[in-house]
Amino acid sequence: MLWHSSILPLFAAANAVLAAPPKYGGGDHHHDKLVEYTNPMIPGYRPDPSCIAVEGFFYCISSTFNSFPGLPIYASRDLQNWRHVSNVIHSEEQVPEYSQIAGMQEGIYAPTLRHHDGTFYVIVTFMGAADSPFHMIFNSTDPLDPSSWGTPVRFINTDIGSFDPDLFWDDDGQAYVTAHVFDIVGNNIYPIDVTTGEYGPNTNLWNGTGGVWPEGPHMYRKDDYYYLVLAEGGTSFDHMVTIARSKELLGPYEAYENNPIQTNANTSQYFQAVGHADFFQDFEGNWWGIALSIRQGPPGYTGSYPMGRETVLYPVTWPENGWPECEPVRGRMRGPLPRKSRKVPGDGPWVEEGDDYKFKGDSLPLHFTHFRFPPEDMYTIADGGLTVNPSKYNLTGDETFEPSDRLSFVGRRQTDTLFTYYVDVDFSPEAEGEEAGVTIFANQWQHSDLGLVMLDGSLKARLRTTSFGSDNTTTDTAGSETIVDVPKKLIGKTIRLQVQAASDTEYDLYMGAARKNSKLEHVGTVPGAVTSGSNAQFTGTFLGIFVTANGGEGSTPATFKRWVYKGQGQKIDFDETVYS
Ligand SMILES: *[C@@H]1O[C@H](CO)[C@@H](O)[C@H](O)[C@H]1NC(C)=O
Ligand SMILES: *[C@@H]1O[C@H](CO)[C@@H](O)[C@H](O)[C@H]1NC(C)=O
Ligand SMILES: *[C@@H]1O[C@H](CO)[C@@H](O)[C@H](O)[C@H]1NC(C)=O
Ligand SMILES: *[C@@H]1O[C@H](CO)[C@@H](O)[C@H](O)[C@H]1NC(C)=O
Ligand SMILES: *[C@@H]1O[C@H](CO)[C@@H](O)[C@H](O)[C@H]1NC(C)=O
């Protein structure tokens, strides 16, 4: 197996790239010309990916935890250009339990996206609410239509507590859920009626090869076998993909002797934590694998990986009645990619395209994301501006904060190692503590903010990092605060607040006049580590805006007139950055 030869001793050959040419031979695959491409396939916070190929389109989904809207669907024709086409969870009525999520990475866990008999299905588990974990099955006949996802079918399998559900239809048309079961630390299967949530008896299938957390199961039928693929080792440095198969759906399953089939564990690679795979076949018959991976280097590298778990792509050779062979995940790879095409209909943004908004119309772009539900009257869009009312609580909140309290925050994922993000804002606070600004935000306990704030009766710019430990009891030493005066010439004017990542470990924050080629003042630098790991281990970083009364009585809104995000470079290996 290729991955054996690619495993390197820790820290040795840190810059090793895929030396051997990809191995293709034998089997029922149809490889065309090999084309070079780079990972991540979909950069930024997109963990636990699940992808399918249906009628000329590829579709992918990923986990979203506390983020709302939730469960984005990305569509592509070429596995390279991905358009955000819909959000499975787009209205509060679908999943009111968001307002109960107290934890910083609970809510919407790993989904599975499947297509059967003309209908697209998403099955997912909700964690962190009163009656959770519970499962939901959403369906749509056209995921390119953002309004196509409706009310989920909900169910709790009361015989087993489980998460990471997979949906699989057997040849007789019966649907099955396979899921990780807490009690046995293994994976069970049970028949399900996807239209009602009624379920049948459980069968334990496979507990994996002995790695911790044998989870993220996906079931496939190919040739004479049922294949069960798992994630094992936990979603960090030991993460790996393992596989077992059986001629009968309910087992017994035989584990592959060369497991794991995909991992970067115990290597010195830049892409780590590779696991939680899904497989699909393209329209030429080639097999592909996707997985999550963290661009963090081996243990002890920089500790800065704010984009968290991202979606990566690798070619797979899967011979008839044989085991799948996966190319190891690297930043630069080759594979039989489909011809380039951007023929994906929709108004949603292309992932790699960046933002330039002057705010028109009556809704926010599909990829603008809140933390839980936003306040009902959070914003209005009018006269070329996004006017945002303050939430009483700031992004951190205090001991009286409840998950049902809502934050005036909206952001977009950091999708590039190097980028510039800025907003132009009109804000004339009247009450003490009123604040509006930009944030580098992972969750309430991990964020860095540059705000315009009324302090002791005058307008200041305040740069502050919030970084509590994973139990939210200790303040990280990264916590810092810088307060500077807002220059007189800017008071009463539209002010530009800018975040720039000029390296993979730090963000620089600036303030200045909102005009072309404006000379901005550097307010300070904050570490990428603030939004890496800890309570952001499962999630990732957003760039966005916030408006708050900081616990006071203030109610002055802020108007954002321009919002720009421009990707400038993607680090794909220790010494390689692809500039855009
Ligand atoms: C999985 O683990 C449980 C609990 O230890 C055990 O009862 C069961 O037999 C195991 N399943 C398989 C397929 O080995
Ligand atoms: C789709 O979901 C709805 C619930 O919103 C359910 O009534 C319907 O039966 C489902 N359709 C299919 C084909 O599963
Ligand atoms: C990584 O190394 C550890 C310690 O030697 C070992 O237990 C583990 O199985 C290895 N993981 C993989 C995926 O090779
Ligand atoms: C997190 O802990 C800090 C420090 O103990 C506290 O001030 C804050 O209110 C806590 N936040 C939440 C949301 O519990
Ligand atoms: C957030 O607001 C609380 C009052 O609700 C205040 O005590 C705290 O200092 C503020 N924290 C930050 C980081 O602004």
Side-chain angles (χ1 to χ4, degrees):
M1 290 298 294
L2 270 176
W3 72 268
H4 282 301
S5 60
S6 72
I7 291 209
L8 302 166
L10 209 52
F11 293 116
N15 303 329
V17 289
L18 180 57
K23 191 165 104 191
Y24 298 113
D28 60 341
H29 50 273
H30 314 89
H31 289 288
D32 298 316
K33 207 168 76 210
L34 299 188
V35 181
E36 192 165 281
Y37 69 93
T38 57
N39 271 316
M41 178 180 81
I42 313 183
Y45 162 25
R46 328 229 188 229
D48 311 318
S50 177
C51 302
I52 52 176
V54 180
E55 288 162 12
F57 290 87
F58 302 99
Y59 299 92
C60 289
I61 195 170
S62 39
S63 299
T64 46
F65 302 91
N66 308 48
S67 296
F68 178 82
L71 295 174
I73 303 280
Y74 305 99
S76 174
R77 313 280 313 221
D78 59 9
L79 295 172
Q80 294 295 281
N81 294 286
W82 290 91
R83 174 171 248 168
H84 188 156
V85 291
S86 56
N87 294 306
V88 175
I89 302 172
H90 50 81
S91 77
E92 297 188 16
E93 298 72 45
Q94 288 171 294
V95 193
E97 288 85 354
Y98 268 79
S99 58
Q100 298 176 20
I101 314 170
M104 291 298 128
Q105 39 190 3
E106 291 188 301
I108 300 294
Y109 267 55
T112 296
L113 175 63
R114 291 292 181 260
H115 179 258
H116 177 73
D117 208 9
T119 303
F120 293 80
Y121 294 87
V122 170
I123 186 166
V124 72
T125 309
F126 194 96
M127 310 282 258
D131 57 350
S132 60
F134 60 84
H135 305 298
M136 297 181 282
I137 303 174
F138 297 84
N139 66 54
S140 156
T141 51
D142 181 12
L144 297 174
D145 171 4
S147 66
S148 68
W149 300 97
T151 312
V153 170
R154 290 159 171 261
F155 67 98
I156 297 176
N157 184 329
T158 52
D159 301 329
I160 53 168
S162 63
F163 65 77
D164 286 5
D166 172 76
L167 258 189
F168 171 78
W169 281 262
D170 205 357
D171 293 343
D172 62 4
Q174 176 63 54
Y176 291 85
V177 174
T178 309
H180 172 98
V181 180
F182 296 104
D183 295 346
I184 59 161
V185 195
N187 292 271
N188 277 21
I189 195 167
Y190 51 87
I192 184 89
D193 180 340
V194 294
T195 66
T196 63
E198 226 176 306
Y199 58 88
N202 297 300
T203 306
N204 174 234
L205 294 184
W206 189 39
N207 297 341
T209 64
V212 295
W213 295 106
E215 58 191 4
H218 289 305
M219 180 68 76
Y220 309 90
R221 177 105 160 90
K222 186 174 182 297
D223 312 318
D224 300 341
Y225 292 94
Y226 296 90
Y227 289 85
L228 176 58
V229 170
L230 299 184
E232 290 189 54
T235 191
S236 182
F237 294 111
D238 296 330
H239 215 198
M240 58 183 172
V241 182
T242 58
I243 190 166
R245 72 182 184 184
S246 173
K247 289 197 167 166
E248 302 296 330
L249 177 61
L250 301 187
Y253 278 76
E254 164 211 0
Y256 182 35
E257 60 179 3
N258 291 325
N259 274 323
I261 56 172
Q262 178 65 280
T263 189
N264 275 2
N266 298 330
T267 73
S268 57
Q269 289 300 320
Y270 182 55
F271 283 77
Q272 290 285 330
V274 177
H276 206 116
D278 197 2
F279 296 113
F280 58 91
Q281 217 170 358
D282 69 19
F283 306 102
E284 304 295 325
N286 303 306
W287 282 92
W288 294 92
I290 46 131
L292 71 82
S293 176
I294 307 174
R295 284 186 275 173
Q296 64 182 159
Y301 180 51
T302 63
S304 179
Y305 44 96
M307 288 178 281
R309 304 182 302 161
E310 308 175 273
T311 296
V312 293
L313 175 75
Y314 49 92
V316 173
T317 304
W318 200 340
E320 190 175 345
N321 283 319
W323 299 91
E325 197 171 309
C326 306
E327 289 293 321
V329 170
R330 302 290 181 265
R332 203 172 274 290
M333 299 193 66
R334 289 164 71 77
L337 286 179
R339 209 156 38 85
K340 275 217 178 340
S341 164
R342 281 196 160 209
K343 289 201 178 112
V344 180
D347 298 327
W350 294 93
V351 169
E352 72 284 9
E353 211 164 61
D355 299 339
D356 188 349
Y357 294 109
K358 288 178 180 157
F359 298 108
K360 292 196 186 85
D362 52 13
S363 59
L364 294 175
L366 273 182
H367 65 308
F368 275 38
T369 306
H370 307 280
F371 195 74
R372 306 191 199 87
F373 295 141
E376 265 151 49
D377 61 349
M378 174 178 152
Y379 64 89
T380 51
I381 302 171
D383 302 327
L386 172 71
T387 298
V388 177
N389 290 311
S391 47
K392 177 182 169 212
Y393 290 102
N394 55 35
L395 294 175
T396 309
D398 58 26
E399 58 287 343
T400 67
F401 181 87
E402 298 286 342
S404 54
D405 292 316
R406 297 174 175 220
L407 300 172
S408 285
F409 159 78
V410 69
R412 60 104 68 216
R413 284 168 177 76
Q414 178 182 347
T415 50
D416 303 84
T417 317
L418 312 180
F419 67 87
T420 299
Y421 168 73
Y422 69 80
V423 297
D424 292 343
V425 60
D426 283 345
F427 184 52
S428 303
E430 285 155 18
E432 184 69 12
E434 287 190 313
E435 183 174 10
V438 289
T439 178
I440 304 158
F441 181 88
N443 59 61
Q444 290 184 272
W445 302 342
Q446 289 168 274
H447 51 99
S448 304
D449 320 318
L450 173 60
L452 299 170
V453 58
M454 182 67 102
L455 286 182
D456 303 325
S458 75
L459 190 65
K460 308 277 192 213
R462 176 166 65 185
L463 173 59
R464 178 143 66 167
T465 67
T466 298
S467 176
F468 296 124
S470 48
D471 55 357
N472 188 36
T473 52
T474 50
T475 305
D476 194 299
T477 46
S480 67
E481 187 172 86
T482 306
I483 297 175
V484 300
D485 288 329
V486 172
K488 272 214 174 62
K489 60 178 196 273
L490 290 181
I491 291 179
K493 300 275 167 47
T494 305
I495 296 178
R496 177 164 299 172
L497 298 174
Q498 178 167 303
V499 183
Q500 187 172 16
S503 81
D504 60 334
T505 54
E506 286 176 339
Y507 301 100
D508 288 302
L509 292 106
Y510 301 85
M511 160 181 62
R515 58 167 185 267
K516 210 170 174 205
N517 303 323
S518 167
K519 191 159 161 25
L520 303 176
E521 176 187 343
H522 185 242
V523 182
T525 301
V526 297
V530 170
T531 53
S532 306
S534 192
N535 281 286
Q537 189 201 343
F538 294 167
T539 62
T541 298
F542 290 87
L543 287 316
I545 56 101
F546 68 99
V547 184
T548 179
N550 271 315
E553 296 303 317
S555 62
T556 310
T559 297
F560 298 86
K561 298 167 118 172
R562 187 130 184 240
W563 165 301
V564 172
Y565 174 95
K566 201 168 169 308
Q568 281 146 341
Q570 209 63 275
K571 183 166 169 178
I572 61 166
D573 209 337
F574 298 99
D575 57 0
E576 183 174 12
T577 299
V578 180
Y579 294 93
S580 40

